[in-house]
Amino acid sequence: MEKPFEIFKVSEIKIQYLPDFKLSERPIITKSSDAYKLLLSQWDTGIMQFLEEFKIILLNNANHVLGIVNIAMGGKGAVMVDMRVIFSIALTASASKIILAHNHPSGKLIPSSADRLVTNKALEAGKVLDIEVCDHIILTSHSYLSMKDNGDF
C-alpha cells in the first residue's frame, strides 16, 4: 500500500536585486580608463599594497554600471576566484556584461598565467551564459593595465 503524499521540508530561495539609484544617475563605462577611475574610487587603497582583491563591475546592455561586487580577498601574491560566484551574482543582478578587476600588491602591471587562466575561464563561462566579459583590469593605486587593450583577449 502506498503512503499518502509526504510533506518535505525545503528551503525557500529568494533572488533579489535592489538598485538604489535611477539608471540615469549611474556611470557609463565606455573605455578602460573609465573602469579604472570607478574601481579606484571604490577600492581601499590602503590595502592595495598588502592584499590581492578581486572585484567585478556589473553592467547592463548600455554599459551603465549596475554595481561593483567584492568577489574575493587573497594574500600578498594570489586570490582564489570562483566562476560560480561571479556568474551567479551577474545573473542575479541581470547584468548583460561584466568587467573583471583585481590588484597586484607588487605594483607590477603584467598579467600572470593565473590572470590569463581566470580571464579565459570567465570568457568561456560568459559565452555559455550570454554575459559578455568586456575586460580584465589589473590595477595599482597609481596605474592600471587593461588586458583587452593589451591584446590579451
Side-chain angles (χ1 to χ4, degrees):
M1 183 167 178
E2 286 188 38
K3 292 182 180 181
F5 179 73
E6 293 182 39
I7 303 295
F8 296 101
K9 292 184 179 186
V10 295
S11 298
E12 178 183 355
I13 297 173
K14 189 174 186 179
I15 298 172
Q16 193 171 14
Y17 169 66
L18 302 171
D20 346 3
F21 303 101
K22 294 181 207 170
L23 194 58
S24 62
E25 297 173 324
R26 295 174 184 270
I28 297 175
I29 304 293
T30 59
K31 54 191 179 291
S32 60
S33 61
D34 295 339
Y36 173 65
K37 288 174 191 169
L38 178 66
L39 288 162
L40 200 56
S41 74
Q42 301 295 311
W43 215 288
D44 182 349
T45 54
I47 293 177
M48 241 184 201
Q49 296 177 34
F50 300 105
L51 298 173
E52 197 164 315
E53 293 181 273
F54 197 98
K55 302 178 187 229
I56 58 172
I57 301 175
L58 303 167
L59 304 167
N60 70 6
N61 268 336
N63 292 340
H64 282 97
V65 175
L66 301 174
I68 297 175
V69 182
N70 298 328
I71 299 297
M73 183 178 283
K76 187 105 173 126
V79 61
M80 298 301 296
V81 180
D82 188 336
M83 290 299 133
R84 294 171 296 182
V85 172
I86 290 172
F87 285 97
S88 65
I89 292 168
L91 289 165
T92 300
S94 293
S96 301
K97 304 173 184 183
I98 61 172
I99 296 173
L100 310 173
H102 78 285
N103 65 303
H104 277 181
S106 68
K108 295 180 182 175
L109 294 173
I110 300 168
S112 68
S113 57
D115 296 341
R116 287 186 176 87
L117 180 64
V118 165
T119 304
N120 290 333
K121 283 177 73 174
L123 287 165
E124 290 304 311
K127 286 177 189 173
V128 171
L129 297 170
D130 201 23
I131 296 174
E132 181 185 349
V133 177
C134 299
D135 205 341
H136 186 160
I137 304 287
I138 300 171
L139 65 152
T140 69
S141 57
H142 305 296
S143 192
Y144 75 99
L145 173 103
S146 159
M147 289 181 69
K148 184 156 190 171
D149 293 350
N150 200 45
D152 290 303
F153 73 93

